[in-house]
Amino acid sequence: MNIITQLISKIVHFFLGSEYERRNSAMAKEKEAGVYVGETEAKARNFEDDYHAATNMLRTRMDRNFPDNFHARLGSGKNSPYDHGEDRALAVDTTSIAIAMALRNGSTVRQAAEAGAASVGI
């Protein structure tokens, strides 16, 4: 009887195990890309947790488009630095307002992050 139970267990694992492995690897890839929030995206949570999850989803996109206090040349022939800190501060304020308004209107975390990204054009 013990052998039959082990055999059935191995057969079930053979057919269903690969599905779980694919799902887990897909979640890992989404986490690395910064787009996976988890089960909490669909569940009702408090505003602060939703807000922080949405800003974390948006952080890498913000870093790419609005560097933090990064000085760069405006052109190849010019030697004048440009401070992106003020642009980033304005973008952070704009996305914060958009995320908060979206969450207050009942959006999910992912929808709120997309609203924040759309508010600054990224």
Side-chain angles (χ1 to χ4, degrees), residues 45-55 103-104:
R45 301 188 319 179
N46 66 16
F47 177 82
E48 188 173 329
D49 289 341
D50 289 344
Y51 178 82
H52 287 299
T55 55
L103 289 173
R104 291 286 182 207

Side-chain angles (χ1 to χ4, degrees), residues 28-97:
K29 287 178 185 175
E30 288 177 357
K31 281 183 181 180
E32 288 175 3
V35 297
Y36 179 78
V37 178
E39 296 175 4
T40 55
E41 179 183 352
K43 292 182 180 178
R45 301 188 319 179
N46 66 16
F47 177 82
E48 188 173 329
D49 289 341
D50 289 344
Y51 178 82
H52 287 299
T55 55
N56 286 336
M57 288 177 70
L58 193 56
R59 180 172 296 156
T60 55
R61 290 167 66 181
M62 288 286 291
D63 289 343
R64 260 184 277 142
N65 292 315
F66 299 100
D68 190 18
N69 292 329
F70 180 74
H71 292 73
R73 296 174 191 231
L74 294 175
S76 59
K78 298 178 182 175
N79 196 12
S80 58
Y82 182 75
D83 186 7
H84 290 278
E86 196 170 310
D87 295 338
R88 181 180 176 91
L90 182 62
V92 167
D93 289 344
T94 305
T95 56
S96 295
I97 292 167

